[in-house]
Amino acid sequence: MNTESEIARAARHLLADARAVSKPETAAMPLSRPTAVATGARSPANDAAGRGMAQPQSAADLEGLRAFVRQLRTSDLKLPAALRPLSSVGATLSPAAGMLDIDAVRSDFPILQERVHGKPLAWLDNAATTQKPQAVIDAITHFYAHDNSNIHRGAHTLAARATDAYEHARQTIQQFIGASSPDEIVFVRGCTEGINLLANILAPGLRRGDEIVLTELEHHANIVPWQMVAERTGAVIRVAPLDDRGDVILEAYERLLGPLTRVVSLSHASNSLGTILPVELMTAMAKSRGARVVIDGAQSVSHFPVDVRRIGCDFYVFSGHKIFGPTGIGAVYMTREAQESLPPWQGGGNMIQAVTFAHTTYSGPPAKFEAGTPNIADAIGLGAALDYVTRLGRERIAVYEHELLEYATGKLMAIDGLRLVGTAREKVGVLSFVLPGHDTIEVGRMLDRAGIAVRAGHHCAQPSLRRYGLEATVRPSLAFYNTRAEVDRLAEVVSSLARG
């Protein structure tokens, strides 16, 4: 698309298609219900809904998940071809159907052999962090044992090897998310630092009254940096609300976009509710108003394929530790245009071409945004993690995880009194719930005694939980190495608590 009008027309068509698809599912909860969107406030009727129970869970919720699995199987992600057996993946695939061999996959993760309180570890805290395959552990160990050196400019063999490995990791990320060039990838410590980087380099272009659009789903890391920028610049934060299932109300979002919209920053998937946002559609709508678009991909890249060029965003951010890589490393995708037009954030070594006391000439991107010695070893570990996920097949992962999510949703819905929070049609494997009469921390501790690790609290997403009248939930979250047997253990413990 070459003009803003073309983008606007495409956005309108996408929105019309989304409305047409959503009509059968939203008869009881219209997307256009009244809402006061300027500050994220809700009408009195919506406040009452927020304080009460979420939309009743029923067979329709499971049917929505089944529909999503069918969509994954038949989508234009070329899933059928990808499901053919791949000899290069080896034991991690079932030779009969090209599906994941979960026992073989689990054997790749040493920590899954641990026992907690005498019970086998069931790691159901994947939205907080994922476990690491041996391939990642080996890549980091190999670097420190054989290649450790600072990168760039070193006139010796280890510097060359370290530089090659680091830049190869950048290229791996570029290919993994569909960027045009490795130079569009900037290494950061993680999603939080990445969003802070973007907020700070976009801040000089904001003026009093300019608008930054977020949603009620956002993690604090995609709220607080923008609040800090708004306080500094006089910009205004506007918030798109949620319906009772946990979907963004697209008509309300559309009404928020206007001539003062400068930045739109959206989660690709929610860490508290699991909702997958229609980011391609929402990006097109924002771009039609001339806004820059940031996508927080922390909860998406490990669960299904991501193509940043197809999304059309200016920036895409994710953390390594959420996709089976090390902590303390992440990446920001920036379009070449954005890189060249925006200033650096931090100053120091590596990001300069020439320095005098009178003037500094900055390096070109991506070095312009990577001041100082980077986290070389963990960048290499992140590259190894992405290689591992690629070998398994992200389409396979998506299908397996959503079928497991469907199974887990059914098991939890069957527990008397349990309230599931977040029942969007399209979700990643997050199952937030509360159990009447039981504190969330108490439930988490009981599960821990059974060897089951979950998260209990506000999940750094307080606005999304308060939309449903809650301060905390219990949050099991799934990855491809989890099993139905682990879900059964979870349901058994929660059921026993519910029975008293």
Side-chain angles (χ1 to χ4, degrees):
M1 298 179 190
N2 298 317
T3 70
E4 183 174 311
S5 61
E6 288 175 324
I7 296 174
R9 283 196 296 273
R12 284 195 295 272
H13 288 313
L14 285 168
L15 182 56
D17 290 345
R19 287 170 176 155
V21 169
S22 67
K23 280 181 182 177
E25 292 296 322
T26 56
M29 183 53 58
L31 288 176
S32 57
R33 67 181 189 172
T35 180
V37 292
T39 62
R42 291 177 293 277
S43 68
N46 294 337
D47 283 335
R51 288 192 298 269
M53 296 291 284
Q55 186 165 327
Q57 288 118 28
S58 65
D61 295 325
L62 277 176
E63 182 51 38
L65 288 173
R66 294 187 183 108
F68 188 36
V69 171
R70 289 195 295 272
Q71 175 187 330
L72 285 165
R73 288 190 178 280
T74 59
S75 72
D76 59 0
L77 298 174
K78 302 180 180 179
L79 180 58
L83 283 169
R84 291 196 295 268
L86 298 176
S87 58
S88 62
V89 180
T92 56
L93 297 183
S94 163
M99 300 302 288
L100 296 177
D101 180 339
I102 300 305
D103 288 339
V105 168
R106 288 177 62 84
S107 71
D108 291 336
F109 292 80
I111 203 168
L112 297 183
Q113 315 309 314
E114 287 291 307
R115 300 183 76 84
V116 176
H117 302 300
K119 309 287 180 21
L121 171 64
W123 184 258
L124 300 178
D125 196 17
N126 295 287
T129 199
T130 53
Q131 299 301 343
K132 320 307 173 195
Q134 189 64 50
V136 170
I137 298 168
D138 289 346
I140 297 169
T141 301
H142 179 90
F143 172 77
Y144 280 125
H146 300 284
D147 299 330
N148 183 44
S149 169
N150 212 326
I151 58 170
H152 304 143
R153 297 180 306 280
H156 55 79
T157 298
L158 292 191
R161 293 208 304 238
T163 300
D164 286 348
Y166 181 77
E167 294 302 335
H168 178 74
R170 194 191 305 276
Q171 183 177 22
T172 299
I173 295 168
Q174 172 238 328
Q175 294 169 349
F176 192 83
I177 63 172
S180 298
S181 164
D183 288 343
E184 293 179 324
I185 306 303
V186 174
F187 283 111
V188 289
R189 289 186 301 160
C191 230
T192 298
E193 183 175 72
I195 294 172
N196 275 275
L197 161 65
L198 296 176
N200 278 278
I201 64 176
L202 289 168
L206 297 176
R207 300 292 180 266
R208 181 169 299 279
D210 285 347
E211 295 174 352
I212 301 166
V213 175
L214 311 175
T215 78
E216 277 190 296
L217 282 172
E218 303 309 321
H219 188 282
H220 296 167
N222 201 27
I223 299 174
V224 179
W226 302 113
Q227 288 177 331
M228 296 169 73
V229 164
E231 290 171 0
R232 199 162 79 230
T233 62
V236 177
I237 292 177
R238 293 166 67 83
V239 181
L242 307 177
D243 67 19
D244 284 356
R245 286 184 179 274
D247 284 311
V248 174
I249 302 172
L250 290 177
E251 280 81 355
Y253 169 75
E254 183 181 31
R255 289 194 297 271
L256 286 177
L257 301 172
L260 293 177
T261 305
R262 298 291 179 262
V263 177
V264 174
S265 194
L266 309 167
S267 290
H268 199 165
S270 164
N271 76 308
S272 59
L273 307 182
T275 304
I276 300 173
L277 277 68
V279 293
E280 185 177 349
L281 165 61
M282 296 176 77
T283 296
M285 294 164 69
K287 299 292 281 184
S288 74
R289 307 302 176 92
R292 292 191 186 270
V293 179
V294 178
I295 304 296
D296 172 358
Q299 298 294 332
S300 53
V301 290
S302 68
H303 296 296
F304 52 82
V306 168
D307 186 331
V308 293
R309 282 180 288 176
R310 176 172 170 173
I311 293 169
C313 55
D314 300 281
F315 312 99
Y316 196 98
V317 189
F318 70 96
S319 294
H321 74 103
K322 300 290 178 68
I323 187 166
F324 317 101
T327 56
I329 192 68
V332 177
Y333 158 76
M334 297 187 192
T335 63
R336 186 75 181 186
E337 178 278 326
Q339 287 181 326
E340 291 176 346
S341 64
L342 293 170
W345 177 29
Q346 297 175 319
N350 192 57
M351 51 80 69
I352 55 87
Q353 286 184 344
V355 176
T356 70
F357 284 107
H359 179 71
T360 294
T361 303
Y362 302 128
S363 296
K368 171 182 175 180
F369 302 102
E370 293 182 354
T373 297
N375 187 350
I376 305 164
D378 289 335
I380 293 166
L382 173 55
L386 301 188
D387 284 340
Y388 179 84
V389 170
T390 299
R391 287 196 299 273
L392 292 186
R394 283 174 284 174
E395 295 87 357
R396 295 184 185 89
I397 289 169
V399 169
Y400 177 80
E401 288 184 352
H402 280 88
E403 289 176 341
L404 186 61
L405 174 61
E406 178 184 329
Y407 178 79
T409 300
K411 296 291 284 190
L412 292 181
M413 284 170 57
I415 298 172
D416 187 41
L418 183 144
R419 175 188 172 192
L420 273 177
V421 184
T423 56
R425 282 176 54 85
E426 298 191 0
K427 294 181 58 175
V428 293
V430 169
L431 296 136
S432 276
F433 70 85
V434 290
L435 195 63
H438 296 275
D439 181 76
T440 56
I441 298 298
E442 172 199 355
V443 177
R445 286 172 178 164
M446 289 297 293
L447 288 166
D448 177 64
R449 292 188 192 113
I452 303 167
V454 301
R455 189 71 29 171
H458 58 61
H459 319 305
C460 292
Q462 288 172 308
S464 67
L465 296 187
R466 288 172 179 163
R467 162 63 179 82
Y468 302 99
L470 298 170
E471 291 296 324
T473 65
V474 181
R475 188 194 66 185
S477 48
L478 307 173
F480 56 72
Y481 45 55
N482 293 127
T483 66
R484 290 192 175 202
E486 291 177 325
V487 170
D488 291 342
R489 289 170 57 196
L490 168 75
E492 181 180 352
V493 174
V494 178
S495 294
S496 67
L497 282 171
R499 291 192 299 267

